[in-house]
Amino acid sequence: MLVSSLFWLDDRRWWPYVPVFATVVGPAERRLGTGRWLLVGSAAHLIGTYVGQGHLRLRIRTGRAPSRLVNARDVGVSYFVLGVAGALSGYLPPAWRAQTQLVVAGALAANAVARPTATEVGHLTAFTVGLAASTTAPDREGKPYPPDEWPSAARRS
């Protein structure tokens, strides 16, 4: 169930995911290498799912969530994507890296506080797993993201 949930989408439409895969998942695999990319994404999915579901279980036990959610399923690719996005953030230009990581982690944390659902807690957890992996990302300075050939103001440092 945990493995198959990685491939489920929230809706029948797959096309909204194309930009995310083209700008995050693909570049992360290219920079991290397939094995490390799969390890980071899978770890983010696994840990994010268990932390999020543990959070939901605690909320149900303490009466802060309805008991009908006891069999709720948390599915989708978002934990994998956020995990590899966290790892990919290690390839940002050094001048932008820490600030961007802090802003994204802060936004996910604020969202988890504002809406303390299993999904939001799982999102924050998955991104944090990716951030931890970003420190071990290979050749961070040699494979910048966005790449040097992109004509973008984001590359200015």
Side-chain angles (χ1 to χ4, degrees):
M1 183 66 161
L2 187 61
V3 173
S4 66
S5 73
L6 177 60
F7 300 100
W8 294 351
L9 302 177
D10 291 336
D11 196 353
R12 292 184 186 262
R13 294 177 295 185
W14 57 268
W15 57 266
Y17 293 90
V18 171
V20 173
F21 278 80
T23 59
V24 176
V25 178
E29 182 182 11
R30 180 172 176 242
R31 284 160 179 79
L32 295 169
T34 302
R36 187 176 303 214
W37 168 83
L38 189 58
L39 180 64
V40 169
S42 297
H45 178 68
L46 179 75
I47 295 167
T49 298
Y50 278 108
V51 169
Q53 290 300 306
H55 173 75
L56 176 59
R57 185 179 179 117
L58 178 64
R59 290 183 61 84
I60 291 170
R61 281 187 180 169
T62 59
R64 294 180 297 175
S67 59
R68 66 179 166 77
L69 294 178
V70 73
N71 291 320
R73 294 184 181 159
D74 196 10
V75 300
V77 299
S78 60
Y79 297 165
F80 189 99
V81 170
L82 282 165
V84 298
L88 182 62
S89 71
Y91 291 94
L92 291 170
W96 291 50
R97 187 177 301 150
Q99 296 91 326
T100 302
Q101 291 170 332
L102 186 60
V103 166
V104 174
L108 290 169
N111 197 31
V113 169
R115 297 178 28 186
T117 66
T119 301
E120 305 311 330
V121 170
H123 285 162
L124 174 60
T125 303
F127 186 73
T128 304
V129 169
L131 281 181
S134 75
T135 61
T136 64
D139 196 20
R140 293 192 316 173
E141 306 312 320
K143 297 178 182 177
Y145 186 80
D148 289 328
E149 58 269 10
W150 280 11
S152 171
R155 288 294 307 146
R156 293 183 198 147
S157 38

